[in-house]
mmCIF file of all heavy atoms in Angstrom:
data_model
loop_
_atom_site.group_PDB
_atom_site.id
_atom_site.type_symbol
_atom_site.label_atom_id
_atom_site.label_comp_id
_atom_site.label_asym_id
_atom_site.label_seq_id
_atom_site.Cartn_x
_atom_site.Cartn_y
_atom_site.Cartn_z
ATOM 1 N N LEU A 6 10.792 -9.215 2.152
ATOM 2 C CA LEU A 6 11.001 -10.669 1.932
ATOM 3 C C LEU A 6 10.318 -11.088 0.574
ATOM 4 O O LEU A 6 10.923 -11.977 -0.053
ATOM 5 C CB LEU A 6 10.381 -11.491 3.055
ATOM 6 C CG LEU A 6 11.232 -11.870 4.278
ATOM 7 C CD1 LEU A 6 12.186 -13.046 3.857
ATOM 8 C CD2 LEU A 6 12.063 -10.801 4.809
ATOM 9 N N ILE A 7 9.209 -10.549 0.213
ATOM 10 C CA ILE A 7 8.599 -10.834 -1.036
ATOM 11 C C ILE A 7 9.383 -10.526 -2.186
ATOM 12 O O ILE A 7 9.647 -11.264 -3.177
ATOM 13 C CB ILE A 7 7.256 -10.266 -1.142
ATOM 14 C CG1 ILE A 7 6.149 -10.904 -0.151
ATOM 15 C CG2 ILE A 7 6.605 -10.346 -2.570
ATOM 16 C CD1 ILE A 7 4.872 -10.115 -0.048
ATOM 17 N N VAL A 8 10.055 -9.291 -2.160
ATOM 18 C CA VAL A 8 10.910 -8.866 -3.272
ATOM 19 C C VAL A 8 12.215 -9.639 -3.285
ATOM 20 O O VAL A 8 12.790 -9.967 -4.268
ATOM 21 C CB VAL A 8 11.129 -7.322 -3.218
ATOM 22 C CG1 VAL A 8 12.203 -6.909 -4.205
ATOM 23 C CG2 VAL A 8 9.790 -6.633 -3.434
ATOM 24 N N LEU A 9 12.684 -10.026 -2.068
ATOM 25 C CA LEU A 9 13.824 -10.891 -1.986
ATOM 26 C C LEU A 9 13.678 -12.199 -2.688
ATOM 27 O O LEU A 9 14.504 -12.718 -3.476
ATOM 28 C CB LEU A 9 14.277 -11.190 -0.515
ATOM 29 C CG LEU A 9 15.230 -10.216 0.222
ATOM 30 C CD1 LEU A 9 15.496 -10.863 1.551
ATOM 31 C CD2 LEU A 9 16.506 -10.149 -0.553
ATOM 32 N N LEU A 10 12.391 -12.838 -2.537
ATOM 33 C CA LEU A 10 12.134 -14.000 -3.236
ATOM 34 C C LEU A 10 12.047 -13.755 -4.715
ATOM 35 O O LEU A 10 12.632 -14.625 -5.476
ATOM 36 C CB LEU A 10 10.794 -14.565 -2.704
ATOM 37 C CG LEU A 10 10.285 -15.722 -3.465
ATOM 38 C CD1 LEU A 10 11.219 -16.916 -3.462
ATOM 39 C CD2 LEU A 10 8.883 -16.214 -2.834
ATOM 40 N N ILE A 11 11.434 -12.691 -5.165
ATOM 41 C CA ILE A 11 11.333 -12.496 -6.607
ATOM 42 C C ILE A 11 12.728 -12.358 -7.236
ATOM 43 O O ILE A 11 13.060 -12.776 -8.299
ATOM 44 C CB ILE A 11 10.441 -11.289 -6.910
ATOM 45 C CG1 ILE A 11 9.009 -11.548 -6.469
ATOM 46 C CG2 ILE A 11 10.594 -10.878 -8.361
ATOM 47 C CD1 ILE A 11 8.188 -10.261 -6.443
ATOM 48 N N LYS A 12 13.591 -11.603 -6.487
ATOM 49 C CA LYS A 12 15.013 -11.467 -6.918
ATOM 50 C C LYS A 12 15.637 -12.772 -7.100
ATOM 51 O O LYS A 12 16.391 -13.084 -8.033
ATOM 52 C CB LYS A 12 15.782 -10.500 -6.065
ATOM 53 C CG LYS A 12 17.089 -10.158 -6.538
ATOM 54 C CD LYS A 12 17.755 -9.153 -5.680
ATOM 55 C CE LYS A 12 19.115 -8.646 -6.347
ATOM 56 N NZ LYS A 12 19.889 -7.781 -5.517
ATOM 57 N N LEU A 13 15.543 -13.661 -6.092
ATOM 58 C CA LEU A 13 16.223 -14.936 -6.246
ATOM 59 C C LEU A 13 15.618 -15.804 -7.353
ATOM 60 O O LEU A 13 16.313 -16.513 -7.916
ATOM 61 C CB LEU A 13 16.015 -15.735 -4.938
ATOM 62 C CG LEU A 13 16.707 -15.177 -3.594
ATOM 63 C CD1 LEU A 13 16.236 -15.925 -2.316
ATOM 64 C CD2 LEU A 13 18.223 -15.171 -3.786
ATOM 65 N N VAL A 14 14.340 -15.665 -7.647
ATOM 66 C CA VAL A 14 13.701 -16.382 -8.719
ATOM 67 C C VAL A 14 14.366 -15.939 -9.973
ATOM 68 O O VAL A 14 14.738 -16.745 -10.835
ATOM 69 C CB VAL A 14 12.160 -16.153 -8.702
ATOM 70 C CG1 VAL A 14 11.605 -16.615 -10.036
ATOM 71 C CG2 VAL A 14 11.542 -16.897 -7.589
ATOM 72 N N VAL A 15 14.522 -14.606 -10.226
ATOM 73 C CA VAL A 15 15.047 -14.080 -11.429
ATOM 74 C C VAL A 15 16.541 -14.410 -11.560
ATOM 75 O O VAL A 15 17.056 -14.874 -12.547
ATOM 76 C CB VAL A 15 14.777 -12.583 -11.600
ATOM 77 C CG1 VAL A 15 15.473 -12.005 -12.913
ATOM 78 C CG2 VAL A 15 13.199 -12.340 -11.728
ATOM 79 N N GLU A 16 17.331 -14.000 -10.576
ATOM 80 C CA GLU A 16 18.727 -13.983 -10.557
ATOM 81 C C GLU A 16 19.435 -15.296 -10.339
ATOM 82 O O GLU A 16 20.637 -15.528 -10.650
ATOM 83 C CB GLU A 16 19.335 -12.852 -9.727
ATOM 84 C CG GLU A 16 18.856 -11.552 -10.149
ATOM 85 C CD GLU A 16 19.541 -10.340 -9.552
ATOM 86 O OE1 GLU A 16 20.484 -10.630 -8.681
ATOM 87 O OE2 GLU A 16 19.250 -9.261 -9.789
ATOM 88 N N GLU A 17 18.776 -16.253 -9.630
ATOM 89 C CA GLU A 17 19.402 -17.535 -9.317
ATOM 90 C C GLU A 17 18.626 -18.671 -10.050
ATOM 91 O O GLU A 17 19.227 -19.471 -10.683
ATOM 92 C CB GLU A 17 19.447 -17.702 -7.823
ATOM 93 C CG GLU A 17 20.264 -19.159 -7.490
ATOM 94 C CD GLU A 17 20.575 -19.228 -6.009
ATOM 95 O OE1 GLU A 17 19.968 -18.514 -5.180
ATOM 96 O OE2 GLU A 17 21.452 -20.018 -5.732
ATOM 97 N N TYR A 18 17.286 -18.758 -9.758
ATOM 98 C CA TYR A 18 16.543 -19.827 -10.281
ATOM 99 C C TYR A 18 16.433 -19.806 -11.780
ATOM 100 O O TYR A 18 16.740 -20.810 -12.433
ATOM 101 C CB TYR A 18 15.129 -19.784 -9.578
ATOM 102 C CG TYR A 18 14.120 -20.729 -10.061
ATOM 103 C CD1 TYR A 18 14.215 -22.037 -9.736
ATOM 104 C CD2 TYR A 18 13.059 -20.307 -10.848
ATOM 105 C CE1 TYR A 18 13.191 -22.933 -10.129
ATOM 106 C CE2 TYR A 18 12.070 -21.145 -11.249
ATOM 107 C CZ TYR A 18 12.205 -22.486 -10.867
ATOM 108 O OH TYR A 18 11.199 -23.423 -11.302
ATOM 109 N N ILE A 19 15.971 -18.687 -12.336
ATOM 110 C CA ILE A 19 15.808 -18.626 -13.812
ATOM 111 C C ILE A 19 17.150 -18.694 -14.529
ATOM 112 O O ILE A 19 17.281 -19.371 -15.541
ATOM 113 C CB ILE A 19 15.029 -17.303 -14.269
ATOM 114 C CG1 ILE A 19 13.552 -17.503 -13.762
ATOM 115 C CG2 ILE A 19 15.119 -17.165 -15.777
ATOM 116 C CD1 ILE A 19 12.667 -16.302 -14.104
ATOM 117 N N ASN A 20 18.234 -18.048 -13.972
ATOM 118 C CA ASN A 20 19.586 -18.133 -14.513
ATOM 119 C C ASN A 20 20.088 -19.539 -14.487
ATOM 120 O O ASN A 20 20.909 -19.896 -15.361
ATOM 121 C CB ASN A 20 20.474 -17.162 -13.909
ATOM 122 C CG ASN A 20 20.203 -15.699 -14.448
ATOM 123 O OD1 ASN A 20 19.908 -15.520 -15.603
ATOM 124 N ND2 ASN A 20 20.486 -14.740 -13.592
ATOM 125 N N HIS A 21 19.617 -20.298 -13.537
ATOM 126 C CA HIS A 21 20.097 -21.697 -13.479
ATOM 127 C C HIS A 21 19.438 -22.501 -14.589
ATOM 128 O O HIS A 21 20.110 -23.328 -15.248
ATOM 129 C CB HIS A 21 19.827 -22.420 -12.151
ATOM 130 C CG HIS A 21 20.043 -23.793 -12.072
ATOM 131 N ND1 HIS A 21 21.317 -24.359 -12.116
ATOM 132 C CD2 HIS A 21 19.128 -24.836 -12.075
ATOM 133 C CE1 HIS A 21 21.119 -25.747 -12.045
ATOM 134 N NE2 HIS A 21 19.787 -26.020 -12.023
ATOM 135 N N ILE A 22 18.210 -22.305 -14.803
ATOM 136 C CA ILE A 22 17.384 -23.012 -15.845
ATOM 137 C C ILE A 22 18.020 -22.780 -17.280
ATOM 138 O O ILE A 22 18.068 -23.681 -18.037
ATOM 139 C CB ILE A 22 15.889 -22.638 -15.798
ATOM 140 C CG1 ILE A 22 15.314 -23.180 -14.580
ATOM 141 C CG2 ILE A 22 15.116 -23.208 -17.049
ATOM 142 C CD1 ILE A 22 13.894 -22.773 -14.325
ATOM 143 N N THR A 23 18.242 -21.473 -17.648
ATOM 144 C CA THR A 23 18.674 -21.109 -18.883
ATOM 145 C C THR A 23 20.123 -21.447 -19.110
ATOM 146 O O THR A 23 20.976 -21.102 -18.167
ATOM 147 C CB THR A 23 18.432 -19.586 -19.215
ATOM 148 O OG1 THR A 23 19.234 -18.764 -18.257
ATOM 149 C CG2 THR A 23 16.964 -19.220 -19.068
ATOM 150 N N PRO A 24 20.576 -21.849 -20.301
ATOM 151 C CA PRO A 24 21.997 -22.147 -20.477
ATOM 152 C C PRO A 24 22.685 -20.984 -21.125
ATOM 153 O O PRO A 24 23.741 -21.140 -21.715
ATOM 154 C CB PRO A 24 21.912 -23.350 -21.528
ATOM 155 C CG PRO A 24 20.670 -23.067 -22.281
ATOM 156 C CD PRO A 24 19.704 -22.465 -21.290
ATOM 157 N N TYR A 25 22.157 -19.773 -20.984
ATOM 158 C CA TYR A 25 22.668 -18.648 -21.701
ATOM 159 C C TYR A 25 23.835 -17.998 -20.994
ATOM 160 O O TYR A 25 24.082 -18.159 -19.743
ATOM 161 C CB TYR A 25 21.577 -17.487 -21.800
ATOM 162 C CG TYR A 25 20.310 -18.004 -22.465
ATOM 163 C CD1 TYR A 25 19.054 -17.284 -22.174
ATOM 164 C CD2 TYR A 25 20.314 -19.060 -23.410
ATOM 165 C CE1 TYR A 25 17.913 -17.707 -22.821
ATOM 166 C CE2 TYR A 25 19.158 -19.534 -23.994
ATOM 167 C CZ TYR A 25 17.968 -18.852 -23.638
ATOM 168 O OH TYR A 25 16.749 -19.222 -24.276
ATOM 169 N N HIS A 26 24.646 -17.220 -21.730
ATOM 170 C CA HIS A 26 25.792 -16.528 -21.183
ATOM 171 C C HIS A 26 25.379 -15.253 -20.597
ATOM 172 O O HIS A 26 26.064 -14.707 -19.687
ATOM 173 C CB HIS A 26 26.875 -16.222 -22.239
ATOM 174 C CG HIS A 26 27.467 -17.517 -22.832
ATOM 175 N ND1 HIS A 26 27.881 -18.556 -21.980
ATOM 176 C CD2 HIS A 26 27.825 -17.901 -24.076
ATOM 177 C CE1 HIS A 26 28.443 -19.495 -22.689
ATOM 178 N NE2 HIS A 26 28.321 -19.174 -23.945
ATOM 179 N N PHE A 27 24.247 -14.664 -20.967
ATOM 180 C CA PHE A 27 23.613 -13.524 -20.377
ATOM 181 C C PHE A 27 22.881 -13.862 -19.125
ATOM 182 O O PHE A 27 22.132 -14.783 -19.113
ATOM 183 C CB PHE A 27 22.681 -12.818 -21.320
ATOM 184 C CG PHE A 27 22.186 -11.456 -20.913
ATOM 185 C CD1 PHE A 27 22.931 -10.337 -21.086
ATOM 186 C CD2 PHE A 27 20.981 -11.421 -20.180
ATOM 187 C CE1 PHE A 27 22.512 -9.115 -20.637
ATOM 188 C CE2 PHE A 27 20.529 -10.182 -19.677
ATOM 189 C CZ PHE A 27 21.287 -9.008 -19.869
ATOM 190 N N ARG A 28 23.184 -13.153 -18.114
ATOM 191 C CA ARG A 28 22.557 -13.400 -16.768
ATOM 192 C C ARG A 28 21.479 -12.361 -16.452
ATOM 193 O O ARG A 28 21.725 -11.139 -16.403
ATOM 194 C CB ARG A 28 23.626 -13.284 -15.677
ATOM 195 C CG ARG A 28 24.880 -14.214 -15.855
ATOM 196 C CD ARG A 28 24.521 -15.660 -15.589
ATOM 197 N NE ARG A 28 24.351 -15.872 -14.142
ATOM 198 C CZ ARG A 28 24.129 -17.030 -13.616
ATOM 199 N NH1 ARG A 28 24.035 -18.142 -14.422
ATOM 200 N NH2 ARG A 28 23.942 -17.192 -12.299
ATOM 201 N N PHE A 29 20.238 -12.841 -16.303
ATOM 202 C CA PHE A 29 19.074 -11.902 -16.084
ATOM 203 C C PHE A 29 19.220 -11.398 -14.647
ATOM 204 O O PHE A 29 19.652 -12.008 -13.732
ATOM 205 C CB PHE A 29 17.733 -12.638 -16.251
ATOM 206 C CG PHE A 29 17.537 -13.094 -17.634
ATOM 207 C CD1 PHE A 29 17.687 -14.488 -17.981
ATOM 208 C CD2 PHE A 29 17.197 -12.277 -18.715
ATOM 209 C CE1 PHE A 29 17.468 -14.877 -19.288
ATOM 210 C CE2 PHE A 29 16.941 -12.687 -19.903
ATOM 211 C CZ PHE A 29 17.092 -14.037 -20.241
ATOM 212 N N THR A 30 18.814 -10.069 -14.500
ATOM 213 C CA THR A 30 18.833 -9.487 -13.198
ATOM 214 C C THR A 30 17.565 -8.701 -12.948
ATOM 215 O O THR A 30 16.779 -8.375 -13.830
ATOM 216 C CB THR A 30 19.948 -8.428 -13.119
ATOM 217 O OG1 THR A 30 19.733 -7.449 -14.212
ATOM 218 C CG2 THR A 30 21.397 -9.046 -13.271
ATOM 219 N N LEU A 31 17.280 -8.474 -11.628
ATOM 220 C CA LEU A 31 16.096 -7.661 -11.224
ATOM 221 C C LEU A 31 16.621 -6.336 -11.067
ATOM 222 O O LEU A 31 16.815 -5.818 -9.912
ATOM 223 C CB LEU A 31 15.504 -8.314 -9.981
ATOM 224 C CG LEU A 31 14.136 -7.663 -9.565
ATOM 225 C CD1 LEU A 31 13.006 -8.004 -10.595
ATOM 226 C CD2 LEU A 31 13.726 -8.068 -8.205
ATOM 227 N N ASP A 32 16.837 -5.612 -12.155
ATOM 228 C CA ASP A 32 17.337 -4.211 -12.064
ATOM 229 C C ASP A 32 16.365 -3.293 -11.452
ATOM 230 O O ASP A 32 15.081 -3.485 -11.665
ATOM 231 C CB ASP A 32 17.658 -3.706 -13.522
ATOM 232 C CG ASP A 32 18.871 -4.295 -14.159
ATOM 233 O OD1 ASP A 32 19.696 -4.964 -13.433
ATOM 234 O OD2 ASP A 32 18.981 -4.371 -15.340
ATOM 235 N N SER A 33 16.732 -2.212 -10.839
ATOM 236 C CA SER A 33 15.877 -1.290 -10.199
ATOM 237 C C SER A 33 14.940 -0.611 -11.127
ATOM 238 O O SER A 33 13.770 -0.276 -10.922
ATOM 239 C CB SER A 33 16.599 -0.282 -9.315
ATOM 240 O OG SER A 33 17.533 0.398 -10.236
ATOM 241 N N GLY A 34 15.463 -0.493 -12.418
ATOM 242 C CA GLY A 34 14.631 0.217 -13.382
ATOM 243 C C GLY A 34 13.805 -0.723 -14.299
ATOM 244 O O GLY A 34 13.157 -0.271 -15.303
ATOM 245 N N LEU A 35 13.922 -2.019 -14.064
ATOM 246 C CA LEU A 35 13.319 -2.948 -14.972
ATOM 247 C C LEU A 35 11.810 -2.788 -15.060
ATOM 248 O O LEU A 35 11.283 -2.781 -16.205
ATOM 249 C CB LEU A 35 13.576 -4.478 -14.521
ATOM 250 C CG LEU A 35 13.102 -5.461 -15.325
ATOM 251 C CD1 LEU A 35 13.739 -5.509 -16.696
ATOM 252 C CD2 LEU A 35 13.408 -6.971 -14.651
ATOM 253 N N SER A 36 11.132 -2.610 -13.931
ATOM 254 C CA SER A 36 9.649 -2.443 -14.094
ATOM 255 C C SER A 36 9.242 -1.238 -14.856
ATOM 256 O O SER A 36 8.314 -1.299 -15.630
ATOM 257 C CB SER A 36 9.094 -2.417 -12.643
ATOM 258 O OG SER A 36 9.138 -3.684 -11.993
ATOM 259 N N SER A 37 9.948 -0.054 -14.745
ATOM 260 C CA SER A 37 9.589 1.121 -15.427
ATOM 261 C C SER A 37 9.792 0.919 -16.911
ATOM 262 O O SER A 37 9.055 1.382 -17.717
ATOM 263 C CB SER A 37 10.348 2.307 -14.878
ATOM 264 O OG SER A 37 11.801 2.124 -15.054
ATOM 265 N N MET A 38 10.745 0.099 -17.286
ATOM 266 C CA MET A 38 11.068 -0.224 -18.694
ATOM 267 C C MET A 38 9.990 -1.111 -19.261
ATOM 268 O O MET A 38 9.693 -1.027 -20.490
ATOM 269 C CB MET A 38 12.447 -0.800 -18.882
ATOM 270 C CG MET A 38 13.642 0.226 -18.787
ATOM 271 S SD MET A 38 15.139 -0.625 -19.200
ATOM 272 C CE MET A 38 15.893 -0.883 -17.635
ATOM 273 N N LEU A 39 9.374 -2.028 -18.496
ATOM 274 C CA LEU A 39 8.529 -2.971 -18.966
ATOM 275 C C LEU A 39 7.096 -2.637 -18.655
ATOM 276 O O LEU A 39 6.155 -3.363 -19.107
ATOM 277 C CB LEU A 39 8.847 -4.334 -18.398
ATOM 278 C CG LEU A 39 10.216 -4.888 -18.771
ATOM 279 C CD1 LEU A 39 10.507 -6.233 -18.023
ATOM 280 C CD2 LEU A 39 10.315 -5.130 -20.222
ATOM 281 N N ALA A 40 6.731 -1.567 -17.873
ATOM 282 C CA ALA A 40 5.418 -1.228 -17.460
ATOM 283 C C ALA A 40 4.396 -1.057 -18.511
ATOM 284 O O ALA A 40 3.210 -1.324 -18.358
ATOM 285 C CB ALA A 40 5.439 -0.018 -16.592
ATOM 286 N N ARG A 41 4.862 -0.671 -19.737
ATOM 287 C CA ARG A 41 3.971 -0.448 -20.813
ATOM 288 C C ARG A 41 3.793 -1.655 -21.742
ATOM 289 O O ARG A 41 3.101 -1.613 -22.738
ATOM 290 C CB ARG A 41 4.404 0.913 -21.684
ATOM 291 C CG ARG A 41 4.324 2.138 -20.835
ATOM 292 C CD ARG A 41 4.659 3.306 -21.727
ATOM 293 N NE ARG A 41 4.556 4.515 -21.150
ATOM 294 C CZ ARG A 41 5.531 5.109 -20.398
ATOM 295 N NH1 ARG A 41 6.719 4.450 -20.231
ATOM 296 N NH2 ARG A 41 5.376 6.282 -19.772
ATOM 297 N N ALA A 42 4.429 -2.765 -21.405
ATOM 298 C CA ALA A 42 4.429 -3.898 -22.280
ATOM 299 C C ALA A 42 2.939 -4.441 -22.212
ATOM 300 O O ALA A 42 2.241 -4.378 -21.249
ATOM 301 C CB ALA A 42 5.327 -5.007 -21.788
ATOM 302 N N PRO A 43 2.473 -5.086 -23.339
ATOM 303 C CA PRO A 43 1.087 -5.544 -23.443
ATOM 304 C C PRO A 43 0.741 -6.661 -22.473
ATOM 305 O O PRO A 43 -0.430 -6.906 -22.071
ATOM 306 C CB PRO A 43 0.953 -5.942 -24.908
ATOM 307 C CG PRO A 43 2.292 -6.239 -25.369
ATOM 308 C CD PRO A 43 3.206 -5.183 -24.632
ATOM 309 N N TRP A 44 1.741 -7.392 -22.051
ATOM 310 C CA TRP A 44 1.610 -8.474 -21.036
ATOM 311 C C TRP A 44 1.592 -8.048 -19.533
ATOM 312 O O TRP A 44 1.267 -8.835 -18.728
ATOM 313 C CB TRP A 44 2.648 -9.533 -21.322
ATOM 314 C CG TRP A 44 4.106 -8.997 -21.165
ATOM 315 C CD1 TRP A 44 4.827 -8.647 -22.247
ATOM 316 C CD2 TRP A 44 4.870 -8.685 -20.035
ATOM 317 N NE1 TRP A 44 6.063 -8.170 -21.936
ATOM 318 C CE2 TRP A 44 6.088 -8.167 -20.511
ATOM 319 C CE3 TRP A 44 4.651 -8.776 -18.702
ATOM 320 C CZ2 TRP A 44 7.172 -7.818 -19.651
ATOM 321 C CZ3 TRP A 44 5.673 -8.440 -17.838
ATOM 322 C CH2 TRP A 44 6.925 -7.950 -18.247
ATOM 323 N N HIS A 45 1.834 -6.706 -19.363
ATOM 324 C CA HIS A 45 1.886 -6.270 -17.992
ATOM 325 C C HIS A 45 0.524 -6.036 -17.474
ATOM 326 O O HIS A 45 0.051 -4.929 -17.284
ATOM 327 C CB HIS A 45 2.664 -4.917 -18.004
ATOM 328 C CG HIS A 45 3.391 -4.722 -16.614
ATOM 329 N ND1 HIS A 45 2.756 -4.271 -15.541
ATOM 330 C CD2 HIS A 45 4.669 -4.911 -16.207
ATOM 331 C CE1 HIS A 45 3.566 -4.188 -14.454
ATOM 332 N NE2 HIS A 45 4.775 -4.480 -14.884
ATOM 333 N N ARG A 46 -0.188 -7.140 -17.110
ATOM 334 C CA ARG A 46 -1.486 -7.174 -16.626
ATOM 335 C C ARG A 46 -1.612 -7.860 -15.284
ATOM 336 O O ARG A 46 -0.597 -8.568 -14.912
ATOM 337 C CB ARG A 46 -2.517 -7.904 -17.677
ATOM 338 C CG ARG A 46 -2.470 -7.266 -19.037
ATOM 339 C CD ARG A 46 -3.030 -5.816 -19.055
ATOM 340 N NE ARG A 46 -3.137 -5.248 -20.399
ATOM 341 C CZ ARG A 46 -4.166 -5.196 -21.115
ATOM 342 N NH1 ARG A 46 -5.344 -5.747 -20.609
ATOM 343 N NH2 ARG A 46 -4.234 -4.655 -22.304
ATOM 344 N N GLU A 47 -2.751 -7.991 -14.787
ATOM 345 C CA GLU A 47 -3.081 -8.678 -13.516
ATOM 346 C C GLU A 47 -2.654 -10.113 -13.657
ATOM 347 O O GLU A 47 -2.993 -10.723 -14.620
ATOM 348 C CB GLU A 47 -4.428 -8.509 -13.183
ATOM 349 C CG GLU A 47 -4.790 -9.212 -11.788
ATOM 350 C CD GLU A 47 -6.269 -9.049 -11.436
ATOM 351 O OE1 GLU A 47 -7.138 -9.093 -12.340
ATOM 352 O OE2 GLU A 47 -6.615 -8.816 -10.235
#
């Protein structure tokens, strides 16, 4: 349920806010791609 909520936040809620043609997704590999980002903190 927690991950379902996060997915809805990214794929429905944030995509509704942005007027972009690109649609953000919670890809299965997204976290591994971003895990080394400097903002990936507590």
